[in-house]
Amino acid sequence: MKFGYWTPIFGSWLRNVDDDTTIGSWEYIKDLALCAEQMGYDLTLVPELYLNDIKGEKAPALDAWAIANALAAVTSRIEILAALRPQYHQVALTAKQIATISQICNGRFSINMVSAWWEEEARQFGINFDGHDDRYTLTHEYTDVLRGFWTQSPFNFKGKYFEFKNSYNEPKPKNLPKVYAGGESETGRNAIAQFADKYLMHGGTLEEVREKIKDMKERRIKANRPPFESFGMAAYIIVRESEEEAKRELQRITRIKNFSDYENSYKDFTSNSDLDVEINRYDYSVSNRGLRPNLIGTPQQVAEKIREYEEAGLNLLIIQCAPMKEELERIAKDLIPLVS
């Protein structure tokens, strides 16, 4: 099992707690990445939203690509996985950006293709927000264009959204950047089975994750594509010396406080994402359904659950926790050695 963590561009991942010391600042994020490298974490996922999905749209949110670019320059080992929403990035320029960032970090840069879900954010930033299936069609074609620019000179392409004739985009990345993607709808799964290298999931129960992995393996075969290189999942982890301590922390972070602060993103997320499970306010207390795997308890209890996920085919956990510096250190010290 590999372990990564979510870069806190919003600050805290807790929607109901105000005293988390996780800070959404460059200095905090830089220090966190350098510490995470030393602790042995394999990857950091830099999410992309221009409004704050956790504390509400009026709260600060840093730019994912500025942060990812800076992390590429200051780190030496960790994989940097930046979320990319095609509607927000002109494709030819983005192909050049990715090739350049990949050069900066010696090939440690990957992208997480996201079809987008927050309609209100798109409205505020003047971005066109297409229907669900159209967004996945765009994402698929966008990824094809990126790979074309990275491998062909000159590049020629004609599709539904893009057309290029005798286009040059140099330099090429030395190694083709890996493409991660996640989705649960029929359209999303079919598209991802065709264009992604690695499949990512929101937090889910063992049964949910086992079903998704089995289904995506079958779709990959039908698409006549090689097997996915990995299956990853978001997870909020709480480890304590006793199960009672862990449960007290869980109760603290899920006690709903100001739901109105993030009600807008909750409604857009649940209505525009075409999810395959029902999401309640408890799940939404943290981001990306991270509580659903229930990785909460003593290190031994959580390690046993992780081994079950690994047997189901999962090989990457991307962690959220709070406060991040202290909890990532605790997880690295007390939990990861049990499952490495």
Side-chain angles (χ1 to χ4, degrees):
M1 183 70 71
K2 290 186 175 182
F3 290 85
Y5 71 94
W6 290 69
T7 290
I9 67 164
F10 311 118
S12 176
W13 298 107
L14 301 177
R15 290 190 165 97
N16 305 313
V17 174
D18 293 329
D19 61 353
D20 179 14
T21 57
T22 304
I23 302 171
S25 71
W26 164 240
E27 286 301 321
Y28 185 96
I29 288 170
K30 178 182 68 172
D31 185 54
L32 185 67
L34 295 175
C35 290
E37 279 196 321
Q38 293 180 352
M39 291 185 283
Y41 286 93
D42 301 290
L43 171 151
T44 183
L45 170 56
V46 188
E48 181 182 59
L49 284 174
Y50 295 139
L51 297 179
N52 192 316
D53 175 38
I54 308 299
K55 295 300 186 181
E57 60 188 51
K58 297 179 182 178
L62 298 179
D63 177 73
W65 282 66
I67 293 296
N69 198 3
L71 288 176
V74 301
T75 56
S76 59
R77 186 190 62 80
I78 201 165
E79 180 181 353
I80 301 159
L81 174 59
L84 169 57
R85 297 176 298 168
Q87 301 92 330
Y88 292 79
H89 300 268
Q90 200 278 346
V91 65
L93 301 182
T94 303
K96 182 173 288 290
Q97 280 183 292
I98 292 171
T100 303
I101 299 173
S102 182
Q103 185 179 114
I104 292 170
C105 64
N106 196 27
R108 292 182 289 114
F109 190 70
S110 305
I111 53 174
N112 179 29
M113 296 299 298
V114 181
S115 68
W117 54 266
W118 200 350
E119 186 172 5
E120 171 61 15
E121 181 207 36
R123 183 197 67 77
Q124 290 191 27
F125 280 80
I127 301 296
N128 185 50
F129 191 82
D130 295 327
H132 175 274
D133 289 1
D134 290 331
R135 299 198 304 274
Y136 270 106
T137 303
L138 169 64
T139 301
H140 186 178
E141 186 172 309
Y142 189 103
T143 307
D144 289 343
V145 172
L146 287 179
R147 289 193 174 114
F149 273 123
W150 293 336
T151 58
Q152 301 172 36
S153 288
F155 175 55
N156 294 281
F157 182 91
K158 185 173 183 179
K160 179 179 179 180
Y161 300 96
F162 305 108
E163 181 174 0
F164 295 94
K165 294 181 180 179
N166 295 322
S167 297
Y168 291 85
N169 206 333
E170 305 296 333
K172 309 295 188 198
K174 290 183 178 179
N175 300 308
L176 202 64
K178 297 299 182 181
V179 176
Y180 295 67
E184 300 177 355
S185 67
E186 187 70 15
T187 299
R189 293 194 197 196
N190 281 335
I192 292 165
Q194 296 179 65
F195 74 76
D197 301 307
K198 307 186 181 189
Y199 183 62
L200 293 181
M201 294 167 277
H202 292 302
T205 66
L206 181 61
E207 292 74 20
E208 290 165 352
V209 168
R210 184 182 288 117
E211 181 278 326
K212 285 188 176 71
I213 291 176
K214 178 178 180 294
D215 177 72
M216 292 306 292
K217 285 181 176 180
E218 292 172 352
R219 290 175 193 260
R220 192 72 164 181
I221 293 172
K222 290 179 182 178
N224 197 29
R225 299 277 290 132
F228 283 109
E229 296 178 18
S230 71
F231 292 93
M233 180 181 72
Y236 192 96
I237 294 182
I238 301 173
V239 288
R240 295 292 186 270
E241 290 185 5
S242 70
E243 184 178 5
E244 291 72 22
E245 288 180 89
K247 287 182 176 179
R248 282 198 297 271
E249 174 64 5
L250 175 63
Q251 184 180 37
R252 183 182 76 90
I253 69 173
T254 55
R255 189 178 293 114
I256 294 187
K257 187 178 179 183
N258 297 319
F259 178 69
S260 60
D261 288 347
Y262 54 84
E263 186 174 10
N264 175 279
S265 67
Y266 175 80
K267 289 180 177 178
D268 269 7
F269 180 71
T270 53
S271 63
N272 290 324
S273 299
D274 197 6
L275 305 174
D276 64 353
V277 297
E278 183 177 348
I279 303 303
N280 56 37
R281 294 184 186 184
Y282 169 88
D283 290 325
Y284 212 65
S285 293
V286 304
S287 180
N288 299 91
R289 306 206 308 254
L291 294 175
R292 206 168 180 87
N294 194 33
L295 298 183
I296 296 159
T298 66
Q300 293 76 16
Q301 289 172 326
V302 175
E304 179 59 33
K305 294 176 185 176
I306 290 175
R307 282 191 286 269
E308 291 177 341
Y309 277 99
E310 195 166 28
E311 290 174 2
L314 194 75
N315 48 24
L316 171 65
L317 278 173
I318 309 181
I319 298 168
Q320 294 175 357
C321 53
M324 287 208 73
K325 284 181 184 177
E326 293 81 354
E327 290 302 309
L328 284 181
E329 183 176 1
R330 187 201 301 262
I331 291 165
K333 176 176 176 291
D334 297 339
L335 173 62
I336 292 179
L338 300 179
V339 288
S340 297

